[in-house]
Amino acid sequence: MRWNMRNIAPFDRTRRGLAFLGLAILCVGTGAGDRIYAQTREEATIRVHEGPRQQYMGFGFGLNTSMVHGHHYNLLPETVKDSIYRLLFVDLNSTHLKLWSSITACHANPAERHYCADDWGPIFQEYTTRARKFQPNLVSLLGPGVATWLGETITNLDVWAESYAEQARSLVYDHGIQIDYCGIANEPDNHDALLDYEAPIVTKKMRAAFDALGLQDVGLVGPDISSTAWKPRELVARIIEDEDALNALDVFTTHSYNSAISVEMEALVDTFILSGEKQYWQTEASEFFAEVEGNAEQASSITARLYSDMNRLCQVWFFHLGIAGVGDEWAEWWANRNALHLILYREKYQDIMILTKFYYFVQFNRTFEYGCRMRKAVSNLMDVNPTKYWRREDTTMTYAFGDKCPLYLTAGVNEDSSWAIGLVNYTGSRKTPLTTLRPKMTYDVNVIVEELEDYPDPIVFNVTRNNAVPPYIHPAGTLTMTNGRLRVDSLAQHDQLLLRSPPGIMAPGKPDIEASVRDPISRRGYGGTGLRVARSPGSATSRTNIRFTVPEGHSPGHPTTVAVFDPHGAKIHTLLRDHRRPGIHTISWDERLPSGKRLAAGAYVLSVQTGSRRVSTRLMVTR
């Protein structure tokens, strides 16, 4: 979809229009939006297993200086830049930004030990400052090694670690850029840039180099491997085997291209993720092809990887690149790899093109909110037709090399106790050396949610569909779940269907509402202001137990504050303002305000602040 930006008022309507993209009615199972295909139909059953797993902690994308500033980004009017960032950080609700960096692809003098910071600093400052206008809680990741194709290699582990530590120090202190995390490398499994035994060594060297420069609060992520096949897994296994390296690493990271997170990788890290000791991010995913407007095949391909990863313990998911400038004609860029991006712009005409996958991601983030507790789902396709669906990945719904699983589902519970369910149909005719799609197919899907099988009342889900028909997001009526079961009719080729229930849907016999949100810049899992909230509902005895962590290095001279805010941001009660030593603390609140009145039912924000650090989570109160 294209938007002219010479007159910014029409372009602003683009953003506002995203809230009304459902004007074209699309009913589930009927209507023009179903598009009549000459194809057969199949029935499948997908079961959502009981029990919370990882927490969805946000969506992100990368910015590459050559793709953005290399096409006269600086010549765009400020209003146009703001409008692009508003799309990415408000409508898409991105929370994470990857700053693609290098220590060789610049004009810096290595003797100055800034290692490209003077080149990248002003550009990164523009990116992060503008992003924070729309996303105050932005988490920034410095991604090293973007210039591997220019010859950037890891020849000396000490120089590599010290160089990126120096670059981060200069970006933070000389250019005022907040760096929350830094990668240890970029796809080090390619061309053996790192051998498996070197992965823990470089991790420890980078931690020591960052600490020596006063950057203890910058977390390390890695190894940012290109896939989760056996060779990349060896790098992760070596880090896990080395206790010091494991302690130095905060987040496991992999990429999702021709394959997503595998069952084997999930088994390798599940103990650390489910215990909350570590996080798992997917930090790069895209296509390499030319993409034209309305390309739902590529939208469903990239969304299938998102679903596959969320079913495999992923917590933060990055698309490769958010923005790119093009030449005078869109077709010039179609001949190249524009599928690497979400939004394209032309400086000459001051217009943009929003690629179809952007709308798929928008609706996903509207359905699965930050903090959503994901569940595990499995399909029965192998049981339905073991000859056709013979791969294990068809049951586990894993996006793998070769024959692609045709049907994906992911599910979770948002912090307001609303259920979120998403489905994607990835079938078609594409065939490459790495990818073969199952033939075009429409699926009727029976969804079983184990936790809700004993729920006493019918649950009505609002439904939205994404497909190739402009404006790409369509309201699709409602579906009703009874005894944990609902049926989705006519999930057509390349369609994404998203379902969300009303809030407050709690499984019988599980009265506690529990949320856990980590400080985005917490170190080693417990080094920041970690926050855990458990609430036991009851008409007269409701209590909220709050467990938080005062980070190491925090000065006892600075008070720790725990406060409750209403949905509009007004403070309604300060529960604690006291000097607390570093460590884990717990307080209990009877949910009464200073006036003595009990807190009314509704959504609130609970905030813990220690010094300059602050972390918040949503508190849902039901009576």
Side-chain angles (χ1 to χ4, degrees):
M1 187 170 289
R2 308 178 194 181
W3 306 96
N4 188 281
M5 298 191 290
R6 288 195 178 278
N7 181 343
I8 199 64
F11 181 76
D12 279 342
R13 287 198 292 272
T14 303
R15 182 185 68 83
R16 295 194 296 270
L18 282 175
F20 303 97
L21 285 177
L23 289 176
I25 301 300
L26 178 64
C27 297
V28 174
T30 61
D34 276 322
R35 303 189 306 281
I36 299 174
Y37 293 123
Q39 65 185 54
T40 59
R41 301 170 73 100
E42 288 187 353
E43 185 163 319
T45 298
I46 299 178
R47 179 175 290 272
V48 179
H49 288 318
E50 181 175 346
R53 287 164 52 82
Q54 86 279 16
Q55 188 174 34
Y56 180 47
M57 298 182 66
F59 185 91
F61 60 88
L63 287 179
N64 182 320
T65 57
S66 63
M67 293 293 185
V68 181
H69 271 72
H71 292 83
H72 308 295
Y73 169 87
N74 57 314
L75 299 180
L76 291 175
E78 291 296 302
T79 49
V80 171
K81 295 176 185 176
D82 277 353
S83 296
I84 294 173
Y85 275 71
R86 188 179 292 111
L87 283 166
L88 290 166
F89 289 100
V90 177
D91 295 299
L92 183 55
N93 195 28
S94 298
T95 53
H96 291 63
L97 179 62
K98 185 174 185 178
L99 304 170
W100 281 98
S101 186
S102 169
I103 53 172
T104 59
C106 63
H107 306 292
N109 178 1
E112 297 175 355
R113 299 187 64 77
H114 287 162
Y115 297 104
C116 298
D118 286 342
D119 276 26
W120 306 145
I123 300 174
F124 289 167
Q125 188 176 54
E126 151 66 16
Y127 292 165
T128 56
T129 300
R130 196 173 299 276
R132 289 184 192 281
K133 289 176 61 176
F134 305 103
Q135 178 52 269
N137 297 317
L138 180 74
V139 178
S140 56
L141 165 64
L142 187 65
V146 70
T148 302
W149 57 278
L150 291 176
E152 181 158 295
T153 57
I154 307 175
T155 56
N156 184 304
L157 300 184
D158 289 298
V159 171
W160 178 268
E162 292 168 6
S163 298
Y164 273 105
E166 278 287 348
Q167 183 181 103
R169 183 209 59 77
S170 182
L171 291 173
V172 171
Y173 293 111
D174 299 338
H175 297 277
I177 299 168
Q178 179 175 313
I179 303 295
D180 299 315
Y181 291 93
C182 182
I184 66 169
N186 178 54
E187 299 192 348
D189 52 307
N190 283 340
H191 308 292
D192 290 331
L194 276 180
L195 299 177
D196 56 3
Y197 75 89
E198 293 177 310
I201 297 174
V202 74
T203 302
K204 291 183 289 186
K205 287 182 179 295
M206 290 196 77
R207 183 70 270 155
F210 273 72
D211 289 351
L213 295 178
L215 300 174
Q216 292 89 347
D217 286 340
V218 177
L220 293 183
V221 310
D224 251 21
I225 45 184
S226 61
S227 73
T228 57
W230 70 268
K231 181 179 176 181
R233 288 200 305 272
E234 284 298 312
L235 277 73
V236 175
R238 287 296 190 110
I239 292 173
I240 291 174
E241 291 168 1
D242 187 314
E243 184 177 356
D244 291 335
L246 184 62
N247 288 335
L249 190 73
D250 299 281
V251 183
F252 294 111
T253 55
T254 57
H255 296 173
S256 292
Y257 278 95
N258 291 303
S259 66
I261 299 171
S262 65
V263 172
E264 291 79 9
M265 178 62 78
E266 178 187 19
L268 193 60
V269 303
D270 62 356
T271 301
F272 306 101
I273 309 306
L274 295 175
S275 68
E277 183 179 348
K278 304 290 181 186
Q279 297 179 23
Y280 195 153
W281 299 359
Q282 184 289 120
T283 50
E284 185 184 334
S286 71
E287 292 279 13
F288 290 103
F289 308 102
E291 181 174 344
V292 298
E293 292 177 281
N295 191 325
E297 179 188 52
Q298 295 207 20
S300 61
S301 169
I302 195 68
T303 310
R305 274 169 270 174
L306 167 63
Y307 280 46
S308 178
D309 287 337
M310 298 310 296
N311 208 31
R312 304 259 90 78
L313 295 178
C314 182
Q315 294 170 280
V316 178
W317 202 89
F318 286 76
F319 185 75
H320 185 19
L321 297 169
I323 312 168
V326 306
D328 292 347
E329 300 299 329
W330 297 118
E332 295 175 7
W333 200 249
W334 291 343
N336 296 301
R337 299 186 299 183
N338 62 317
L340 294 168
H341 310 97
L342 294 171
I343 297 176
L344 308 177
Y345 72 85
R346 297 187 298 183
E347 181 275 327
K348 179 177 180 179
Y349 300 106
Q350 296 187 17
D351 58 356
I352 71 169
M353 179 184 294
I354 303 174
L355 296 174
T356 307
K357 54 183 172 273
F358 175 89
Y359 300 99
Y360 280 56
F361 290 146
V362 163
Q363 198 55 38
F364 178 88
N365 281 328
R366 288 176 176 172
T367 306
F368 293 82
E369 293 185 347
Y370 180 94
C372 183
R373 283 288 184 182
M374 307 306 297
R375 266 55 176 173
K376 167 77 80 174
V378 295
S379 167
N380 78 331
L381 282 179
M382 186 179 289
D383 297 330
V384 171
N385 189 338
T387 302
K388 179 179 180 180
Y389 303 113
W390 57 273
R391 299 186 74 187
R392 175 189 63 178
E393 288 81 4
D394 294 327
T395 296
T396 60
M397 297 183 291
T398 303
Y399 192 99
F401 281 108
D403 291 345
K404 294 295 185 275
C405 171
L407 184 61
Y408 299 82
L409 181 146
T410 191
V413 180
N414 291 306
E415 290 187 338
D416 63 356
S417 295
S418 64
W419 278 80
I421 301 173
L423 302 96
V424 172
N425 178 334
Y426 185 42
T427 59
S429 58
R430 179 189 290 186
K431 188 170 185 179
T432 72
L434 298 174
T435 296
T436 301
L437 298 190
R438 298 289 169 60
K440 184 178 180 180
M441 184 67 61
T442 292
Y443 289 99
D444 300 322
V445 186
N446 299 298
V447 180
I448 302 174
V449 179
E450 292 179 349
E451 284 176 64
L452 299 177
E453 288 185 295
D454 295 326
Y455 196 80
D457 303 313
I459 304 170
V460 179
F461 286 76
N462 288 317
V463 184
T464 308
R465 191 187 297 260
N466 292 91
N467 56 31
V469 179
Y472 309 119
I473 302 178
H474 310 271
T478 61
L479 286 173
T480 300
M481 174 178 286
T482 304
N483 300 125
R485 288 165 166 76
L486 62 77
R487 180 180 174 86
V488 173
D489 290 326
S490 301
L491 183 67
Q493 176 193 40
H494 306 325
D495 279 9
Q496 173 179 241
L497 203 69
L498 289 155
L499 297 74
R500 183 160 176 175
S501 79
I505 304 298
M506 292 176 287
K510 304 180 187 303
D512 287 357
I513 303 171
E514 195 171 87
S516 176
V517 176
R518 288 186 182 279
D519 182 350
I521 57 174
S522 64
R523 286 276 298 111
R524 300 184 179 89
Y526 299 102
T529 319
L531 173 59
R532 189 173 182 83
V533 179
R535 179 174 185 269
S536 300
S539 58
T541 61
S542 300
R543 299 194 70 83
T544 296
N545 296 313
I546 303 156
R547 183 175 182 266
F548 59 93
T549 302
V550 176
E552 298 175 7
H554 172 70
S555 172
H558 295 287
T560 295
T561 302
V562 180
V564 182
F565 298 80
D566 68 17
H568 305 290
K571 184 187 294 186
I572 59 175
H573 194 13
T574 298
L575 307 181
L576 173 74
R577 182 174 173 79
D578 197 3
H579 298 280
R580 295 291 175 110
R581 294 185 177 278
I584 298 173
H585 303 267
T586 301
I587 63 173
S588 182
W589 176 40
D590 63 3
E591 298 184 359
R592 293 189 182 276
L593 300 172
S595 64
K597 292 183 178 179
R598 187 169 292 278
L599 196 66
Y604 300 88
V605 175
L606 186 67
S607 172
V608 176
Q609 182 162 352
T610 59
S612 61
R613 289 188 176 183
R614 177 174 173 177
V615 61
S616 301
T617 187
R618 182 178 298 178
L619 173 66
M620 291 300 301
V621 175
T622 57
R623 299 296 182 198

